[in-house]
Amino acid sequence: MLSIAADERAAMQFDELASLLDAGLPTSQLGARGGDGERTAIELLRRRDVRLSPSDEVVLAAAWRSGRVGPALRARAEQRRQRAAQRRNLLLHLLYPAALLGVAMLASLATAPVIGHYGFPIGLTVLLALLVAVAFGLRRGLRRGDERCNRLPVVGRLVTDLAEIPYLETLQSLYGAGVPIVEAHANALAAVPNPALQRRLAVAGRVLGSGRTLTEALAEAVALHPDTRSLLAAGERAGTLEDALTRALQRRREVSQRSVALLLRSIAVGIYALAAAIAVALILSFWFSLYGQLRWR
């Protein structure tokens, strides 16, 4: 919840600063200092307690140099709002299933004296501990750049799609601000959170630095989704790479959002089924145990 609030507040500050700059207010009145230079927008946001990522700083500095800081600020604001909406959606989808599991745990504890054992709460605790251990193991493997995690069904493809988004966001913003594609790619590489994808894009960067096209570099490194490579190749051939980057970014966002929604629905259905099975088992155990106690009286 704290990260959601921080993203929403940052988006408001991005939009407000863009509006002030577009209105023509002198940066000195906004709190800028003489030596800020191309980091003026960055320092103004920091003084407003906005936490910026390295990608934000690179993009805003390049946009300031090219005189396109207003559109860059609004684009970063939109990205923060989308990230906040995705996280809120994730929490809302998991809230009710989590509450069901909590109720199942309380019910198993309440009926344990009647049933005569604590097997249900112990089993639930072990199951939850295993799920948490799997989640942490997956997170650690992804951070370490283990390719096996990227090849996992559903989750691996989703993680790779999500890792492409910050790269495309940064590359599109920098290229749109007039930064050469080789330099834009090198800076966008730092925004990729997945080490495995980052390594493939680093290979593409070396190919790109040798004078070949972005299409050839991405194809040789087998980096990014085939759909993304196709869109960028068509745009590069037509001389509309900036528009192609925008379309590729939108496509990855849409696909990742659908994948997240599908994964959340699957998790919710699994938790509902588990909660229903626990409820049925508790009810049957309770009545069988109660019937047994009454029978022997």
Side-chain angles (χ1 to χ4, degrees):
M1 293 301 296
L2 291 175
S3 63
I4 292 172
D7 280 338
E8 290 177 336
R9 183 181 175 280
M12 291 177 60
Q13 294 296 334
F14 282 136
D15 281 334
E16 183 180 350
L17 182 58
S19 298
L20 292 172
L21 292 172
D22 288 347
L25 287 176
T27 56
S28 57
Q29 292 185 14
L30 301 178
R33 296 168 185 166
D36 288 341
E38 67 180 22
R39 294 181 57 84
T40 297
I42 298 169
E43 296 304 325
L44 287 174
L45 288 166
R46 281 185 170 173
R47 288 171 197 137
R48 292 167 178 242
D49 297 323
V50 176
R51 186 175 179 181
L52 300 174
S53 68
S55 173
D56 290 331
E57 295 190 14
V58 170
V59 168
L60 293 177
W64 188 271
R65 289 195 301 269
S66 66
R68 298 183 59 179
V69 70
L73 284 166
R74 290 192 171 88
R76 306 314 277 186
E78 182 60 26
Q79 291 166 16
R80 292 294 183 101
R81 276 191 290 269
Q82 288 183 357
R83 188 167 70 179
Q86 289 172 352
R87 289 177 175 174
R88 181 178 287 106
N89 187 45
L90 175 65
L91 286 177
L92 290 176
H93 274 81
L94 294 180
L95 183 61
Y96 185 59
L100 275 180
L101 281 181
V103 170
M105 177 67 78
L106 290 175
S108 64
L109 288 171
T111 56
V114 178
I115 295 173
H117 61 81
Y118 285 84
F120 285 108
I122 292 172
L124 266 176
T125 302
V126 171
L127 176 61
L128 291 176
L130 286 174
L131 290 175
V132 170
V134 169
F136 273 101
L138 179 61
R139 181 169 177 263
R140 191 167 143 195
L142 290 170
R143 283 190 166 185
R144 203 171 54 239
D146 193 338
E147 285 284 1
R148 291 175 299 179
C149 295
N150 285 357
R151 289 194 293 267
L152 288 173
V154 183
V155 175
R157 181 67 260 172
L158 174 59
V159 166
T160 307
D161 280 347
L162 291 173
E164 284 187 21
I165 291 175
Y167 168 78
L168 292 171
E169 287 174 347
T170 308
L171 187 65
Q172 189 268 344
S173 299
L174 290 173
Y175 188 72
V179 177
I181 190 63
V182 177
E183 183 182 346
H185 173 85
N187 286 313
L189 187 61
V192 179
N194 186 296
L197 178 59
Q198 197 174 56
R199 286 194 293 269
R200 290 197 293 272
L201 287 170
V203 173
R206 289 193 289 272
V207 176
L208 190 61
S210 67
R212 296 165 69 182
T213 65
L214 179 64
T215 301
E216 293 171 335
L218 293 175
E220 184 165 326
V222 197
L224 305 186
H225 193 278
D227 289 349
T228 303
R229 296 203 301 268
S230 297
L231 287 169
L232 297 185
E236 198 167 29
R237 285 194 300 269
T240 56
L241 182 56
E242 184 178 354
D243 291 338
L245 284 166
T246 302
R247 292 194 300 272
L249 174 58
Q250 185 61 33
R251 168 69 177 165
R252 281 304 97 207
R253 283 174 176 164
E254 291 173 355
V255 170
S256 63
Q257 286 171 3
R258 287 197 297 268
S259 299
V260 168
L262 178 61
L263 180 60
L264 289 176
R265 281 197 297 270
S266 301
I267 292 173
V269 168
I271 293 177
Y272 294 151
L274 176 62
I278 292 170
V280 170
L282 280 174
I283 291 169
L284 292 176
S285 298
F286 177 82
W287 286 111
F288 282 144
S289 177
L290 187 62
Y291 175 74
Q293 292 175 17
L294 293 174
R295 184 181 175 185
W296 289 104
R297 288 183 179 179

